[in-house]
Amino acid sequence: MKQKNSKLIKILYGLIIGFLVYFILLPVMSVIVYGIKSENSLFFSMKGLERSLGYLKNSLIVSFSVTAIATCTGVMLAFTLNRIKFVGRGLLKLLVLLPFVNPPFVGSISYIMLFGRRGLISNKLLGLSISPYGPWGIVVIQVLGLSSLAYILIASSIKKTDTTLEAAARNLGANENDILRSITIPMMLPEISSTALLVFLASMADFSTPLIIGGNFQTLASDLYIQITGLFDMKSAAVSGLILLIPCIAAFVIQKYHLQKKSYFTEETLSSSIEYEEINAYTKFFLISFTAIFISFIFIKYFFIIVGAFTKQWGYNYTLTFSHVNELIGKQYKPFINSIKLAFITASLGSFLGMLIAYLIRFKKLFLSNFVDFAATLPAAVPGILFGIGYLVAFKYPILGIGKWIFTDIKPWILLGTGSIIYLIMIARFINTGLRSGYALLEHINPDMEKASYNLGAGEIETFFRIMAPLMKDAFFASFIRAFTSGMITLGAIIFLLMPSNKVAVQQIFQVVNGGNIGAGAAISLTLSLLTLFLLGVFYTLFNIVEYMKVIKRNKDRLNIWK
Amino acid sequence: MEIKIRNMVKKFNGVTAINDISLEVIEGEMLALLGSSGCGKTTLLRTIAGLIHQDCGEIYFNNMEVSDWPAQKRNAAMVFQNYALFPHMNVSENIAYGLKIRKTEKKEIEKKVAEVLEKVKLIGFGKRKIQELSGGQKQRVALARSLVIEPDILLFDEPLSNLDEKLRVSMRQEIRRIQKDTNITSVYVTHDQREALSIADRIVVMDSGKICQIGTPEEIYYRPANLFTADFMGHLNVFSCGIIEENGERYYELFGKKIPIENRGKSIKILLRPEEIDISKNGVDALILDIEPFGSVSRYKLKCKNDIIYADFINRRRVGSFKVNDYIKIDFDVSAIHVIEGEL
Ligand SMILES: Nc1ncnc2c1ncn2[C@@H]1O[C@H](COP(=O)(O)OP(=O)(O)OP(=O)(O)O)[C@@H](O)[C@H]1O
Ligand SMILES: [Mg+2]
């Protein structure tokens, strides 16, 4: 039986499609069109192409190395922290997530403090004065940041491991090595590959680390930044952008349409524990040591950020100082407020929109659902900086681009100073987070429940808010937390769209560190991390209090019935 | 292969799953472990397979102690409840897995896989993906995968509980046939008493980690040793009668019938299966309170004096049927009665 959707739902759906087309497809198409079509495009000139291909090679060298190392690390971390029992595991599980509260490039602060020209290890201990700048620095810093991403993606699938399959193999005579090789790893392969592709995307999109630590070694993404801010060469930028876009979209399409369908894991939660009952002592020792070493790297990274924040000038003057922090508190707190506002609003709206789209696609069986799904997830594939350029190109005329046809005699203005544009681009990016959260939830909800509500006479809106919304609340919160955390540290998408008045903290860190001021950079990074952690704590507490109050209220109501 | 278990205990975080169990499985027999959910059947089976290690007690295979042997060495193949087929391999690869692990030659593997596919009636399914099989077919593949390694012991953990009724009946006949043909010592876990009765040479009834009774299906069905077994095997009518002593004779009374007994304890329970009750002119009066038709038989809830009695009568058209609130006369044969001792 085909279910009839009310006008309201259709109008809503139409508006959403409009939003997706206008704020996602149009900017992405603009990049492509601009790169290929603009008058005397460099795309077809050998010189321009050759130049960009050189950067592509650099990008690929870095991204392939980072992907390989970070994915393997993620797999080992996920195994150790989820399948092996040992003391202190809970703490390590928390620490491994720390990199999420900082943009990846902050690692370069500690890196410079340790290995820089006047670094602690390279210069003071070894007396060297070699340059640390180059591809290996980029790889090290990205691996430190992205292994956590790999970890969290693989851990979520490892938790669904069906241990009876391993028991079956053991029962058929396979030893633990055989089982790992022939059962456990092959079963996880689709998830591992899709993790690898997401790590690859993140690494390709990172322009800030190469800029800070790459020296002469620049990548496509960082070249984009240089072309636009340093040389004001939009044409070269567009060529680099296009060449960057191709492997990213390819990786995304493979991940989305090929790998996800292959997953062997079922969504049903298996109650049995996934910890190994018995495990070879050497293997256990190796895995735990590996994890401990990796996490101590994360620890060292933060330790030196803290040290840096309170040191006058690293490498020259090691006196303790509060000047960096004082300056922050006194003069430069505005960017933090902006960051919080931006992250909070866009994470809420993005998550809400994403969940709404998930609901409409899965439950309402509306037209164009594949297209909507594709458009809503596309921003995950497009490197942030490129997406930002898309906005720059698409909306360089007043009134979000429409002005081109109205005020035909006006020269293009960059975004006409609308502060809302950074909100729009972030919402566009976070829809994907909400969408995935929504899908994951709706797998477990029977659409009949909704129909039952209609049968009982409830209207569409009432049903959504009374039946669906309470169920979706947890998923919304999860999506919000993820988007908020990422919103606090996003730079790529908004860097070209920010104006002095709405400067955010990450941008501040980037500018300061890029300008070589380690101490101030460390102080802002530290503050940003602590602030993010604090806010996450506040959100969790509030969410739990609200839940708790509801339980109390429900119990009271129940008591009242009996009175 | 003969299996002996001595005083086995297994606890999970303080919960006792197996509580001092001793048990023997005779060479070539099919032994059913029967019990309600959570009574420790799976745990017992898995300790035999070596997938779980017991806290106390020993296991012997043919008088050789295997308590510390790893699962890999025991050659006790298990058929899992949820099939546990490897989803990234096709049917043939699943079946060949154990042989590959044993480094069997390729030719030999092919031959054996073909043979076993025939045995479980899955010829032509070798290249199929697991996801493309029905529940019954999956269960056959799981069986084939266990059979192909020529195990000394076969362990079944509720292998048919995910199948529909009709398929369950035919699959259990097939399992029985294959087990008889191969003569492999088998342990079969189930919570379905009918399945246990039809498939097993002997049945072990378990309750919260302990053994209640071991016996042949006849013994378990007709002569349960205690109330738990009786209840589990579907004895609906349990009468607790005191023993009457008159003129130096001891007897008890049921529906006016005096049944003499030998020397027994103070308190006894009398069990009478619903199907042992007859309709008879000479019987006692009973009022029909309720009728529950099952198809070939109907279950009648009767009130006779102050007792509630359940009786099963075969439905035959020519007999016609009774209605609620009718009175009927019922009787039973004294030989149908089974007496157990014990307090309620
Ligand atoms: N891995 C485990 N960790 C903790 N407790 C367990 C574990 N496995 C089993 N138990 C507990 O041991 C008891 C026996 O479990 P077992 O799985 O053997 O029962 P079962 O008879 O097979 O039940 P079912 O018919 O439901 O499969 C249960 O109380 C169960 O909760
Ligand atoms: Mg079980």
Side-chain angles (χ1 to χ4, degrees), chain A residues 66-76 147 150 154 192-193 195-197 199:
Chain A
V66 169
T67 304
I69 302 171
T71 309
C72 290
T73 308
V75 171
M76 293 214 263
S147 295
I154 292 170
I192 293 177
S193 336
T195 300
L197 287 171
V199 170

Side-chain angles (χ1 to χ4, degrees), chain B residues 37-38 40-43 81 157-158 189:
Chain B
S37 186
K41 307 178 297 281
T42 300
T43 310
Q81 177 171 1
D157 190 359
E158 307 199 25
V189 163

Side-chain angles (χ1 to χ4, degrees), chain A residues 277, chain B residues 12-13 15-17 35-44 52 81 157-158 189 191:
Chain A
E277 296 276 328
Chain B
F12 292 107
N13 319 314
V15 180
T16 310
S36 51
S37 186
C39 72
K41 307 178 297 281
T42 300
T43 310
L44 182 56
I52 298 178
Q81 177 171 1
D157 190 359
E158 307 199 25
V189 163
H191 60 250

Side-chain angles (χ1 to χ4, degrees), chain B residues 183-202:
Chain B
N183 206 31
I184 302 172
T185 309
S186 304
V187 181
Y188 188 106
V189 163
T190 175
H191 60 250
D192 179 347
Q193 34 117 348
R194 278 186 298 164
E195 199 167 291
L197 289 170
S198 74
I199 209 167
D201 295 310
R202 287 194 310 147

Side-chain angles (χ1 to χ4, degrees), chain A residues 274-555:
Chain A
I274 58 164
E275 280 151 1
Y276 283 111
E277 296 276 328
E278 282 150 38
I279 184 162
N280 182 311
Y282 294 110
T283 316
K284 184 169 171 175
F285 178 76
F286 169 74
L287 284 174
I288 295 178
S289 317
F290 177 86
T291 307
I293 290 171
F294 178 79
I295 290 173
S296 62
F297 282 149
I298 294 179
F299 191 78
I300 290 170
K301 174 171 129 185
Y302 280 91
F303 179 74
F304 277 94
I305 288 174
I306 296 172
V307 171
F310 295 100
T311 306
K312 198 138 218 172
Q313 194 180 14
W314 191 262
Y316 301 95
N317 182 350
Y318 292 100
T319 27
L320 178 74
T321 177
F322 289 96
S323 65
H324 303 309
V325 182
N326 280 342
E327 191 166 336
L328 267 186
I329 297 166
K331 281 192 276 178
Q332 296 173 328
Y333 62 90
K334 264 299 284 278
F336 289 103
I337 311 273
N338 286 338
S339 281
I340 296 169
K341 233 168 65 184
L342 179 66
F344 184 84
I345 293 176
T346 57
S348 321
L349 291 179
S351 299
F352 177 76
L353 262 181
M355 307 241 346
L356 186 65
I357 294 174
Y359 168 77
L360 291 175
I361 289 181
R362 284 288 145 90
F363 274 24
K364 293 296 178 182
K365 308 265 177 296
L366 290 149
F367 52 97
L368 288 180
S369 61
N370 283 335
F371 165 78
V372 169
D373 173 67
F374 175 82
T377 31
L378 187 61
V382 181
I385 187 167
L386 205 55
F387 201 42
I389 292 175
Y391 270 57
L392 205 61
V393 175
F395 306 130
K396 68 181 166 183
Y397 295 96
I399 331 179
L400 299 172
I402 301 169
K404 184 179 180 183
W405 290 280
I406 304 175
F407 314 105
T408 37
D409 49 342
I410 295 184
K411 274 204 213 152
W413 299 353
I414 302 291
L415 302 172
L416 202 72
T418 49
S420 59
I421 199 84
I422 55 169
Y423 284 82
L424 288 167
I425 192 169
M426 297 273 273
I427 290 172
R429 276 179 85 77
F430 290 150
I431 283 179
N432 176 46
T433 318
L435 190 71
R436 271 186 295 154
S437 215
Y439 282 160
L441 173 81
L442 295 177
E443 300 247 307
H444 302 286
I445 295 183
N446 190 343
D448 290 343
M449 205 160 72
E450 225 199 14
K451 290 199 191 106
S453 165
Y454 293 142
N455 279 345
L456 295 172
E460 208 144 43
I461 304 294
E462 200 187 344
T463 301
F464 182 79
F465 281 102
R466 298 197 56 160
I467 308 287
M468 302 310 294
L471 288 168
M472 295 176 114
K473 179 190 59 202
D474 286 1
F476 173 80
F477 185 68
S479 160
F480 169 78
I481 290 289
R482 221 174 301 147
F484 179 81
T485 318
S486 127
M488 290 293 278
I489 62 171
T490 299
L491 182 59
I494 54 177
I495 191 154
F496 297 132
L497 311 173
L498 287 161
M499 290 164 302
S501 63
N502 57 19
K503 193 170 198 177
V504 291
V506 208
Q507 185 191 18
Q508 182 91 346
I509 306 175
F510 176 67
Q511 285 172 351
V512 170
V513 176
N514 208 15
N517 189 348
I518 294 296
I524 313 173
S525 305
L526 183 62
T527 316
L528 183 66
S529 307
L530 293 177
L531 192 64
T532 309
L533 286 175
F534 171 74
L535 288 171
L536 290 177
V538 169
F539 294 145
Y540 271 107
T541 317
L542 282 180
F543 186 72
N544 286 333
I545 288 178
V546 170
E547 289 293 286
Y548 184 68
M549 298 290 268
K550 262 192 216 144
V551 173
I552 290 182
K553 185 167 175 297
R554 212 176 301 142
N555 286 345

